[in-house]
Amino acid sequence: MEKIRGSMETLSAMQITSNTEGLDAESKILLHSKEVLAVILQGVVAEYKGYTTKDIINFIEADSITDGKEVSPGRTNTQLRGDTTEYIQLNEKTSLFDVFFRAKNPQLSAGNMLVNLHIDIEAQKSYRPGYPVEKRGLYYLARSLSAQLSLLRDKTDYGELEKCISIWICRDDIPKAECYSMSFYEICNTRNIGNCKVRRENYDLLTLVVIKLGEKMYNGKKGDEGFGLLRFLNALMYPHKSDFMDTISEYIDFSANEELWQEVKQMSGLGQSILAEGIEQGIEQGIEQGIFMTLCGLVNDGLLDKEEAARRMNLPEEAFSEKMKKSLDISDGKQYD
């Protein structure tokens, strides 16, 4: 397997994730990593068949990776396209994309012509949240497709529409027979009457991928279809074991950052042990402080926005800043009365 060279930012994200159960805010930090995205895309995107993860990293538009974007009609257009005009749809429930970005479609791009894929990746704790995940995924696809047509244009050019892909990674509440499986849903030409020849790219605009994990231990065998990706996601999405970094390093090469790599390897086992012990003893305050200090480190290194860090601690940004300043000053040896 040809491995991607891992960045310091991804290692830092691995560090915070190693102390958690690998979902929600913490897992979404990892989903902003181009290295992690490349492994996922290589495993499920048909347009990238035959391309290495190194190739795919170069296809991803790093500046387009965003989260917290609204899915609802009207809001999707203004936020994803960067338009300044506000258009609020009444009586619409607000939904947010987890991680949304653009990446080159190598099958349709040629010369100076760039055709993109619009990709959404969702980390879902439960496969059974009270509604069919597949229906929600199709709704997200419909919104990301329609959002490509600006609200401000007088003329609508449907020929400009580019393919949208939504990838849902569901961790828990999977039917036992469906654990560690992947389902693909696409638009296809199912029937023709007469002599019809329609180019595939004119209708192949939506692909939904639902990945179901389901158990902490993955017992797949090398050579099984999907083995590489399912093993990688198992390592990321469940509480990390002592071999966490060894498994991840089969996909991403962190040898250039050897010192931090070894630190994360140590934390991946130790951090999870501390977390488990803390839960057993009910030491919630200690766990919260550990998460707070990790978030402070990410903010201090420029890897996480302070407003987002404050939100994750359920604190006003000003209160988070003051608490962070005090914590950092204490770690530098300054004393408070």
Side-chain angles (χ1 to χ4, degrees):
M1 178 188 299
E2 185 177 7
K3 293 193 286 187
I4 323 164
R5 182 170 178 175
S7 67
M8 189 72 76
E9 290 78 10
T10 299
L11 268 174
S12 296
M14 296 282 182
Q15 196 167 31
I16 184 173
T17 307
S18 67
N19 289 301
T20 70
E21 293 193 357
L23 263 189
D24 300 325
E26 289 73 24
S27 69
K28 289 167 191 175
I29 293 175
L30 279 177
L31 290 180
H32 283 73
S33 161
K34 289 177 68 175
E35 298 99 302
V36 171
L37 292 174
V39 174
I40 296 173
L41 297 182
Q42 186 187 50
V44 297
V45 175
E47 285 78 2
Y48 294 154
K49 184 177 181 180
Y51 288 93
T52 67
T53 47
K54 290 182 180 179
D55 294 328
I56 297 170
I57 277 185
N58 291 326
F59 293 155
I60 298 171
E61 292 185 19
D63 293 342
S64 72
I65 300 176
T66 56
D67 59 10
K69 298 300 182 185
E70 292 190 26
V71 181
S72 305
R75 301 292 293 177
T76 318
N77 302 67
T78 58
Q79 292 204 24
L80 292 184
R81 297 188 65 87
D83 299 328
T84 57
T85 302
E86 290 286 338
Y87 180 82
I88 301 175
Q89 191 84 7
L90 297 180
N91 300 320
E92 283 286 351
K93 182 179 178 181
T94 299
S95 298
L96 304 175
F97 290 106
D98 274 2
V99 180
F100 194 98
F101 60 97
R102 294 184 302 274
K104 177 181 176 180
N105 184 340
Q107 293 186 357
L108 299 181
S109 299
N112 294 325
M113 183 180 71
L114 173 64
V115 178
N116 281 314
L117 298 170
H118 299 251
I119 302 172
D120 160 44
I121 298 185
E122 302 287 328
Q124 185 87 357
K125 188 177 191 304
S126 174
Y127 176 63
R128 298 172 174 175
Y131 54 82
V133 164
E134 291 80 6
K135 286 189 175 183
R136 184 177 175 186
L138 289 170
Y139 173 74
Y140 276 36
L141 281 169
R143 292 304 310 137
S144 58
L145 183 65
S146 65
Q148 295 175 40
L149 298 178
S150 173
L151 294 168
L152 302 180
R153 295 183 182 179
D154 294 330
K155 183 179 179 181
T156 300
D157 186 355
Y158 294 102
E160 293 185 358
L161 290 173
E162 297 173 324
K163 184 173 181 177
C164 301
I165 300 174
S166 188
I167 302 167
W168 292 69
I169 305 169
C170 303
R171 197 186 78 168
D172 300 334
D173 305 321
I174 312 292
K176 193 165 184 65
E178 299 179 28
C179 288
Y180 288 95
S181 64
M182 293 187 274
S183 300
F184 297 77
Y185 306 87
E186 300 175 316
I187 294 180
C188 59
N189 180 202
T190 60
R191 185 184 181 199
N192 293 308
I193 298 176
N195 186 18
C196 302
K197 294 182 179 179
V198 181
R199 296 173 60 183
R200 181 177 173 83
E201 59 264 30
N202 289 342
Y203 60 83
D204 180 26
L205 292 176
L206 304 177
T207 293
L208 171 65
V209 182
V210 179
I211 302 172
K212 304 170 192 173
L213 303 181
E215 295 180 353
K216 294 181 181 180
M217 296 297 296
Y218 173 49
N219 297 315
K221 298 177 181 178
K222 195 170 184 178
D224 291 348
E225 187 174 10
F227 171 81
L229 177 58
L230 292 173
R231 184 166 183 261
F232 179 76
L233 291 175
N234 170 263
L236 287 185
M237 299 291 284
Y238 283 97
H240 302 322
K241 299 173 281 293
S242 59
D243 62 349
F244 164 64
M245 282 305 298
D246 291 329
T247 301
I248 295 300
S249 295
E250 293 179 19
Y251 301 80
I252 305 173
D253 180 12
F254 292 113
S255 59
N257 300 310
E258 181 71 23
E259 184 176 345
L260 183 55
W261 176 32
Q262 293 300 331
E263 179 184 343
V264 178
K265 283 183 67 176
Q266 292 170 10
M267 287 190 67
S268 62
L270 178 60
Q272 184 59 37
S273 298
I274 292 173
L275 179 59
E277 182 181 350
I279 292 174
E280 289 177 5
Q281 297 179 8
I283 312 177
E284 296 180 0
Q285 184 177 358
I287 295 172
E288 183 177 349
Q289 179 64 15
I291 294 174
F292 171 74
M293 292 304 295
T294 306
L295 291 172
C296 286
L298 288 173
V299 171
N300 200 44
D301 292 339
L303 301 176
L304 185 67
D305 183 79
K306 188 178 291 184
E307 181 180 358
E308 174 64 12
R311 184 187 68 78
R312 294 178 186 184
M313 291 300 298
N314 293 318
L315 290 173
E317 186 175 349
E318 184 177 345
F320 179 87
S321 296
E322 183 62 29
K323 186 176 179 182
M324 176 179 170
K325 180 179 183 300
K326 184 174 181 179
S327 297
L328 293 177
D329 284 345
I330 290 175
S331 67
D332 288 337
K334 298 181 182 180
Q335 299 297 319
Y336 287 81
D337 294 332

